[in-house]
DNA sequence: CAAACACTAAGGCAAGTACCTTATTTTTGT
DNA sequence: ACAAAAATAAGGTACTTGCCTTAGTGTTTG
């Protein structure tokens, strides 16, 4: 019945999935994720391929860190970043679950069509 | 070496993956995707659970449609929406590929540690 | 044909985003 | 102790988003 959602005004991205997908919607941040698959990397090295100012790049890292996709640790004067996988898994799981849902529906639809088509041929 | 990215200013979300993840970063839009797994639904029915004005809801549908996650068709006075799967698959594939990349790295790391640990025990 | 229905267009607003530049802080290396 | 390196803080600008309201445009239905 009336299962209302989002009754009151909320910040733009509030739940973890919102934050994760928002983080992944930027090519710079996706590239960072890709790069970190290889292991830990300090900020300057991570930033090197990108043609943006370091503070701008750091903001991207902050977005990734705040939504739990990466973690970082200061060692001496540089900060090392690494991937955190569970948040990424969460987002992936959402997508896979959705995909399974519509795949399941299409399977049932196909089964139904096969059956009715069969009856059509019989009748 | 200098594989520079994003040299010139670009619109916020330019490639299909940017658009898809951006679209998925909103809970209303994710709920629409979930709902459409069941099949085609007209806008008003789709909008019913949400406590926002219809024009606001329509904007969400537009975002989903413009990035290729849904399609819609006008029949009489209502517009029917349905899922479009390839764009969703694209995004899912990106995530699965990334996951495989770091899973692979962790496997190799584990193999390496096993080997060195083995040598350590032998020596 | 008029009223109701299902959107759609247009315009407005507060908040958020993605960049920037210019300090400032912290940590080496000499 | 001093200069260079690696961030970080602070503040600014242009654009985007997510909502709103009000006013249309077509499409049934009585």
């Amino acid at each position: 019945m009336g299962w209302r959602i989002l009754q009151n005004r909320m910040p733009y991205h509030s739940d973890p999935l919102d934050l994760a997908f928002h983080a992944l919607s930027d090519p710079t941040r996706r590239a960072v994720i890709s790069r970190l698959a290889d292991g830990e990397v300090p900020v300057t090295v991570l930033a090197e391929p990108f043609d943006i100012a370091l503070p701008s790049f750091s903001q991207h890292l902050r977005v990734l860190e705040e939504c739990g996709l990466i973690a970082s640790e200061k060692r001496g004067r540089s900060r090392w970043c690494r991937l955190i996988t569970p948040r990424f898994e969460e987002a992936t799981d959402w997508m896979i679950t959705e995909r399974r849902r519509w795949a399941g529906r299409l399977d049932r639809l196909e089964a139904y069509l096969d059956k009715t088509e069969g009856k059509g041929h019989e009748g």
Side-chain angles (χ1 to χ4, degrees), chain A:
Chain A
M1 311 271 215
W3 35 293
R4 297 241 116 59
I5 301 171
L6 287 176
Q7 310 248 21
N8 311 315
R9 195 66 84 86
M10 288 183 178
Y12 281 15
H13 301 289
S14 37
D15 88 76
L17 226 41
D18 294 7
L19 292 167
F21 282 126
H22 166 67
L24 294 174
S25 76
D26 183 279
T28 300
R29 291 191 293 254
R30 283 201 307 281
V32 167
I33 295 284
S34 282
R35 184 73 154 78
L36 290 179
D38 298 336
E40 301 191 342
V41 185
V43 170
T44 316
V45 175
L46 211 49
E48 190 270 324
F50 301 97
D51 220 16
I52 62 177
L54 188 61
S56 310
F57 185 76
S58 279
Q59 277 183 326
H60 284 302
L61 294 182
R62 182 114 81 124
V63 170
L64 288 169
E65 191 157 4
E66 280 178 350
C67 79
L69 284 171
I70 72 171
S72 70
E73 186 190 6
K74 197 129 194 184
R75 293 187 202 142
R77 65 186 165 185
S78 59
R79 177 175 293 281
W80 291 70
C81 299
R82 65 185 175 82
L83 267 179
I84 298 289
T85 58
R87 180 59 26 93
F88 195 92
E89 288 292 358
E90 231 172 89
T92 311
D93 284 352
W94 184 85
M95 302 201 75
I96 291 175
T97 301
E98 286 308 313
R99 182 170 64 174
R100 194 159 25 230
R101 269 162 48 78
W102 49 255
R105 181 194 139 250
L106 292 181
D107 286 352
R108 285 192 300 280
L109 184 64
E110 194 179 357
Y112 170 78
L113 290 177
D114 283 358
K115 211 172 63 179
T116 49
E117 196 185 322
K119 284 199 178 166
H121 281 301
E122 282 165 29

